[in-house]
Amino acid sequence: MTTQTIRNSTAVWRAADTRHHLHPFTDFQGLAAEGGSRIITKAEGVWLEDSEGARILDGMSGLWCVNVGYGRERLAKAAYEQMLALPYYNTFFKTATPPSIELSEKLAALTPEGLSRVFYASSGSEANDTIARMVRRYWQLAGQPARRNIISRHNGYHGSTMAAASLGGMQPMHELDGLPLPGFHHVRQPYWFGEGGDMSPADFGIAAAKAIEDKILELGPETVAAFIGEPIQGAGGVIIPPESYWPEVQRICKAHDILLIADEVICGFGRTGHWFGSNLYDIKPDMMTLAKGITSGYLPLSAVMVGDRVADLLWSEGGEFAHGFTYSGHPVACAVALENIAIIEEEKLVERVHDDTGPYLQQQLASLAEHPLVGEVRGVGFIGAIELVTDKASRGRFNPKGRAGTLCRDHCVKIGVVSRAVGDTMVVAPPLTLTREEADELVKRLRLALDGAAADLNIK
C-alpha cells in the first residue's frame, strides 16, 4: 500500500472506528470530538508508524507488554508453524498439547522456587479472577472456609473484570458499577513521594506494610485468605516501594498464615532487569500472576503460577476445579510464548537491562529531575515515573488532579513519543530492546513535552 493510499484511508478508518468501535478506558464522546483515533499501521523495534506515515517512539511497549520489540519474524513463524500442526485444541477433559506442557515446564523453571504448576488464561484479568477462586477453594479444602477476604492496595491494578477490578484499588473503576464485590479490601499503597510526608522512606515502608497487618486484625486473621500486590505498581503510577516494605509484608503474611500473591503482569519477563519483580525484592510468593511480556503481546496469554502449598492440596483433595476458559493453554499462544522466552534468553535481554541499558535509561531519565515541572524521577530497569508538581520543595499538587499530566501527554502525542499520564505522573516502560541512542531520543522528546506543558501552565 502506498503512502498516498494510506493517507487517503485515514479519514475513512477514523469515521468507521467512531461509528462502530467502543474502545476500552475511553471517553467515547470526547474521542469523537477530537476527530477520532490515531490509526497505527506498522511497527518495528521500538518504533510505531501511523496511517499518516509519522514515526512514533513507543515509550510504553504497547501496554507494558512488547518486551522483545515489534517485528519479530521468529514469533510470527512460531505461530504459523503451530497453526499448521494444531491451530487449537482445549485443555479440558484430561487433554493437553505439547506447547502447553513445554511452556509449563519452562515457567516452573524460570519463576521463584516452589511455583511448580501453571493454570492458563488469556489476560491478566482472567488470571486474577482465577486466583480469587483458587485461593478461596484452597482454604475450603484446608478446612478453613471462613478465610474468604482478600487484601490489596489502594491504586493497585489487577484487571478490569468484576473480580479483578475488585482486587484492584482503582476508585474510578469501583464507582462505575458499585465495586468492590464482598470480600475484597484495600489498604494504603507504599507511595513515599505522595504519601510519605516527613517520614524517611524506610520508616514509611514499614508503616505502609503495617496497614496490611492492621486490616488483617480488623477483619480477623481467621477470615483472611490472601494479600495480593504488584512488586512495583504499574498502572497506579510506577510506585516503587521502599526497600523496607516487602520484607515486612512477607513477615506479616507468614505470621498470620496469609497466602502471598505477586502480580507480575507488568514486572515479569525482564522489565525490572530481573526475570521477575519477585527476584528484585526477594519475594517468595505462594502464587504469581503472569501475562503481557509472556508473549510480548504478540498473542493473548496469561498464567497463574501456583505454589506447592496450594497446588498439592488442590491436586490431592480438590476434586474438580470447576473453572476455566475456552482458550486456557491455547497451543499457538503457548508456542509463541516459548519462542518469546527463547529470544529473551538468547539475546540476554534481562542481563542487558540489568547491567547496561537499564542503568543508562535511569541515568538519562534522572536528568529530567532538574526540570521546573518535575518533583521526582524514580525507576528501575525499564520502568520509570516522572512526578509533575507545582512546587518542588512542597511537592505541591495540581488542581484539578491530572491537569499537568494531560497537557504533558498531549505534547508527547504531538512530538511523537508514547508516554502515559497517570494523574500528574508521566510513566514510561519501553521495549527491552531499546538502545542507548534510542534512550537518548526518548528522554529528549520527554523533555520537549515537559517544556510544552510547563509553558501551558506558566511554570518557569
Side-chain angles (χ1 to χ4, degrees):
M1 185 180 291
T2 66
T3 301
Q4 189 60 45
T5 303
I6 292 173
R7 287 178 176 168
N8 288 342
S9 300
T10 301
V12 175
W13 281 330
R14 283 179 175 162
D17 183 69
T18 300
R19 285 194 304 269
H20 303 296
H21 186 187
L22 295 176
H23 294 247
F25 287 91
T26 297
D27 177 344
F28 307 129
Q29 189 175 25
L31 177 62
E34 292 173 10
S37 300
R38 176 169 57 179
I39 313 298
I40 304 299
T41 57
K42 294 172 59 179
E44 183 72 26
V46 301
W47 294 91
L48 307 169
E49 186 173 318
D50 71 13
S51 56
E52 295 293 298
R55 293 183 80 229
I56 304 157
L57 202 168
D58 185 3
M60 283 305 302
S61 303
L63 275 178
W64 321 81
C65 58
V66 188
N67 289 19
V68 301
Y70 297 96
R72 291 286 190 163
E73 188 175 350
R74 283 178 60 177
L75 299 186
K77 285 183 176 179
Y80 174 74
E81 291 169 3
Q82 183 58 46
M83 283 186 177
L84 290 179
L86 178 68
Y88 170 77
Y89 199 71
N90 68 77
T91 54
F92 288 35
F93 316 124
K94 303 178 183 178
T95 304
T97 66
S100 67
I101 297 167
E102 291 169 17
L103 180 59
S104 299
E105 186 176 42
K106 185 65 177 179
L107 292 174
L110 282 177
T111 53
E113 185 178 356
L115 299 174
S116 59
R117 292 188 176 91
V118 189
F119 188 102
Y120 291 108
S122 297
S123 69
S125 297
E126 288 181 355
N128 281 326
D129 275 24
T130 298
I131 281 176
R133 299 196 72 192
M134 194 174 284
V135 160
R136 288 174 170 177
R137 179 60 175 157
Y138 165 78
W139 285 113
Q140 288 174 352
L141 295 172
Q144 300 185 58
R147 284 190 182 257
R148 295 182 57 80
N149 290 312
I150 303 176
I151 299 171
S152 61
R153 299 177 296 199
H154 294 300
N155 214 32
Y157 186 80
H158 299 294
S160 62
T161 55
M162 295 289 281
S166 296
L167 277 174
M170 297 286 187
Q171 187 175 354
M173 296 176 69
H174 291 171
E175 291 173 348
L176 182 67
D177 45 8
L179 297 177
L181 296 170
F184 297 91
H185 308 270
H186 304 89
V187 298
R188 73 186 306 180
Q189 58 188 332
Y191 180 23
W192 177 79
F193 182 84
E195 301 177 13
D198 295 329
M199 300 177 72
S200 69
D203 287 344
F204 178 72
I206 297 295
K210 184 178 182 297
I212 301 169
E213 187 162 41
D214 290 345
K215 180 61 69 173
I216 292 170
L217 295 174
E218 174 193 329
L219 296 169
E222 71 282 358
T223 75
V224 179
F227 169 75
I228 183 171
E230 305 154 85
I232 294 172
Q233 287 170 243
V238 181
I239 307 302
I240 299 176
E243 291 184 6
S244 59
Y245 179 76
W246 276 110
E248 183 66 5
V249 170
Q250 293 192 90
R251 184 199 67 77
I252 290 166
C253 289
K254 186 175 182 179
H256 296 285
D257 198 24
I258 307 300
L259 295 177
L260 176 59
I261 303 158
D263 185 328
E264 295 268 6
V265 170
I266 285 175
C267 292
F269 299 96
R271 175 63 53 197
T272 67
H274 297 76
W275 270 100
F276 302 98
S278 293
N279 302 132
L280 172 63
Y281 293 112
D282 196 27
I283 303 170
K284 297 175 174 60
D286 294 291
M287 303 175 79
M288 180 186 281
T289 318
L290 305 177
K292 294 188 184 293
I294 193 170
T295 64
S296 287
Y298 277 61
L299 281 177
L301 182 69
S302 64
V304 176
M305 301 303 302
V306 186
D308 294 338
R309 173 184 178 180
V310 175
D312 288 349
L313 192 58
L314 290 173
W315 191 270
S316 62
E317 304 290 340
E320 180 179 352
F321 181 55
H323 174 80
F325 308 98
T326 300
Y327 302 116
S328 291
H330 193 290
V332 180
C334 289
V336 169
L338 282 163
E339 192 68 15
N340 175 67
I341 292 169
I343 290 171
I344 294 172
E345 290 181 320
E346 290 169 22
E347 298 185 6
K348 298 187 181 301
L349 291 180
V350 178
E351 294 86 346
R352 191 166 122 190
V353 170
H354 183 274
D355 298 332
D356 179 21
T357 51
Y360 184 79
L361 174 62
Q362 295 303 325
Q363 174 187 317
Q364 299 307 98
L365 286 172
S367 70
L368 299 174
E370 301 171 0
H371 196 279
L373 189 56
V374 176
E376 181 185 61
V377 178
R378 58 179 177 268
V380 60
F382 264 30
I383 187 169
I386 305 162
E387 290 274 4
L388 310 184
V389 295
T390 59
D391 177 73
K392 288 176 178 284
S394 66
R395 305 180 196 168
R397 315 304 285 189
F398 288 91
N399 187 17
K401 180 181 177 181
R403 179 184 175 209
T406 299
L407 288 171
C408 192
R409 180 204 62 197
D410 290 347
H411 280 285
C412 285
V413 172
K414 294 174 187 175
I415 292 165
V417 62
V418 180
S419 176
R420 183 170 173 177
V422 179
D424 291 312
T425 305
M426 302 303 298
V427 299
V428 292
L432 307 188
T433 55
L434 187 88
T435 64
R436 286 185 170 222
E437 292 74 22
E438 289 164 338
D440 291 340
E441 186 64 26
L442 172 63
V443 174
K444 173 185 172 184
R445 296 189 185 203
L446 289 172
R447 189 183 300 276
L448 289 172
L450 289 168
D451 289 343
D456 293 341
L457 294 162
N458 198 29
I459 291 179
K460 301 178 181 178

